[in-house]
Amino acid sequence: MQAKLVEKFKELFGADGEIRTYFAPGRVNMIGEHTDYNGGHVFPCALTIGTYGVVRKREDNKLRFYSMNFENLGIIESSLGDLKPDPTADWTNYPKGVIWAFGEKGMKITQGMDLLLFGNIPNGSGLSSSASVEVLTGYILKDFYGCDVSNQDIALIGQFSENQFNGVNCGIMDQFAIAMGKKGHAIFLDTATLEYEYAPIALKDAKIVISCSNKKRGLGDSKYNERRAECEKALEEIQQFAGINSLGDLTEEEFEQFQTAIKDEDRKKRAKHAVYENQRTVRAVEALKHDDVELFGKLMNESHVSLRDDYEVTGIELDTLVEEAWKIDGVIGSRMTGAGFGGCSVSIVKNDAVDTFIEQVGKAYEEKIGYAADFYVVEIGDGPSRLA
Ligand code: GLA
């Protein structure tokens, strides 16, 4: 595959100069959803699928981008002198945003680049194809352009660019999971402090299956920013009675005590999810440490119910995928993952039930929704790297 990408790069951009190849993964979140902008915990992992980038530094300040996933768009050009979000520039706003963000952080990039991308993450699936492109770009600026940053810095700069350049008020989870990924491990991250711990996901007789709803969506036009604003408002209301910094500071009991401060029923449900989901995530990781995969799965199911009924970010597509999954023997746990409103579900499925799962969930989904879902049995991989 790498050879094919380099060949395509040379065909488009010429063969001279030093050409390097990089990879950054996608991610799936096992539990802890919509907690990362509420000062709570998340538990994501990097995948072995992701984004490949073939790149060359230029002598001038031109930026030339090409994606093998959007070949119809051709080469999209801009320049270092013109780093502004541009709706007509499509996906290239992600690498451009990161180059801009490095400049904002005092690392101005003065040499342009030719960059060819190919991603084997389904686009818009909720497996963070955009954060993957951001981290890939950041890693290129570190490794090839010599910017003095850690992988954690790359995650933070990626989030900054997504917030400030691309207008999505996302938390730190996606970029962190991708930049800090570790084979065979999920990352238990406290988003309030950025303290983290790697926890092995050693599923002896089960696999992680991702079911992709194929419902088209973009984070920017979803209700993501609205949910975030609802939580911020609920926090302000509670803060009039309790000295907390974020909803993640509250236990379930404390929430029940203070929830009357929240003056709107929808807002109350959003805040309840943020608090309960955070506590659930802490318990789930604890269960995993004690090898209690069954309890972990049960908490995944509870997470989905809370995202469906209180946070209201699932929708008929994700609910169908998950509710059909729950019917199958050998499913340890199943829930929506990522922002919601379409995208994917994640399930832990016993090895000998995987085929039945794909067949039955696939059939029921197509019957109800009218188009097919896609299924991926995934592996947990490392963070970004330069390929030999
Ligand atoms: C998106 C955001 C993340 C996180 C999840 C929901 O993936 O980019 O920061 O908020 O949604 O958990």
Side-chain angles (χ1 to χ4, degrees), residues 86-330:
D86 170 5
T88 68
D90 211 85
W91 66 270
T92 69
N93 283 310
Y94 292 110
K96 263 169 59 178
V98 171
I99 294 169
W100 167 83
F102 268 72
E104 291 295 296
K105 301 286 174 193
M107 292 167 284
K108 194 163 188 261
I109 305 301
T110 52
Q111 268 184 289
M113 69 168 69
D114 295 326
L115 175 67
L116 170 136
L117 293 190
F118 171 70
N120 54 7
I121 317 172
N123 290 309
S125 62
L127 301 180
S128 284
S129 51
S130 52
S132 178
V133 171
E134 288 161 1
V135 170
L136 181 87
T137 309
Y139 195 78
I140 289 171
L141 297 181
K142 169 186 165 140
D143 189 76
F144 206 177
Y145 285 67
C147 292
D148 183 17
V149 288
S150 66
N151 278 20
Q152 184 165 318
D153 295 333
I154 292 175
L156 288 163
I157 298 172
Q159 181 202 16
F160 176 77
S161 77
E162 176 109 25
N163 293 168
Q164 304 296 323
F165 197 88
N166 283 297
V168 180
N169 231 344
C170 68
I172 188 61
M173 172 169 75
D174 303 344
Q175 291 82 4
F176 199 98
I178 290 169
M180 304 293 285
K182 183 171 169 178
K183 192 176 165 86
H185 292 73
I187 309 174
F188 182 44
L189 170 68
D190 180 346
T191 62
T193 59
L194 293 188
E195 271 170 45
Y196 66 95
E197 194 185 314
Y198 290 110
I201 304 276
L203 301 169
K204 278 160 243 123
D205 56 356
K207 298 236 172 334
I208 300 174
V209 182
I210 288 174
S211 313
C212 187
S213 71
N214 287 328
K215 181 186 180 190
K216 289 291 164 244
R217 64 163 186 109
L219 262 191
D221 47 64
S222 74
K223 291 190 167 299
Y224 186 88
N225 288 350
E226 185 186 302
R227 287 291 178 280
R228 184 166 181 159
E230 288 173 308
C231 287
E232 277 162 9
K233 177 87 180 126
L235 173 64
E236 275 170 30
E237 290 169 301
I238 293 180
Q239 276 172 333
Q240 308 196 337
F241 301 93
I244 55 166
N245 291 320
S246 67
L247 294 173
D249 288 344
L250 294 174
T251 62
E252 290 107 325
E253 294 73 26
E254 287 164 340
F255 175 76
E256 295 308 332
Q257 187 188 332
F258 293 120
Q259 45 92 10
T260 49
I262 306 172
K263 294 297 170 222
D264 172 271
E265 284 313 308
D266 279 343
R267 213 150 57 224
K268 202 176 276 186
K269 291 202 289 181
R270 312 298 186 239
K272 180 179 179 194
H273 167 79
V275 172
Y276 278 64
E277 177 76 354
N278 178 43
Q279 298 298 332
R280 195 160 30 236
T281 304
V282 174
R283 274 207 298 281
V285 175
E286 205 47 46
L288 208 60
K289 280 187 188 156
H290 292 99
D291 245 344
D292 193 345
V293 182
E294 295 295 327
L295 178 56
F296 187 88
K298 211 175 137 261
L299 293 164
M300 286 175 77
N301 299 347
E302 283 177 18
S303 164
H304 185 83
V305 171
S306 176
L307 288 155
R308 184 190 65 193
D309 299 344
D310 286 336
Y311 219 64
E312 298 184 273
V313 292
T314 55
I316 185 166
E317 296 85 3
L318 289 171
D319 287 337
T320 303
L321 287 176
V322 169
E323 286 158 22
E324 290 300 326
W326 289 341
K327 292 180 187 163
I328 294 168
D329 267 351

Side-chain angles (χ1 to χ4, degrees), residues 27 29 32-37 170-174 219 224 338-339:
R27 71 97 186 89
N29 187 24
E33 217 66 80
H34 289 281
T35 49
D36 67 345
Y37 50 85
C170 68
I172 188 61
M173 172 169 75
D174 303 344
L219 262 191
Y224 186 88

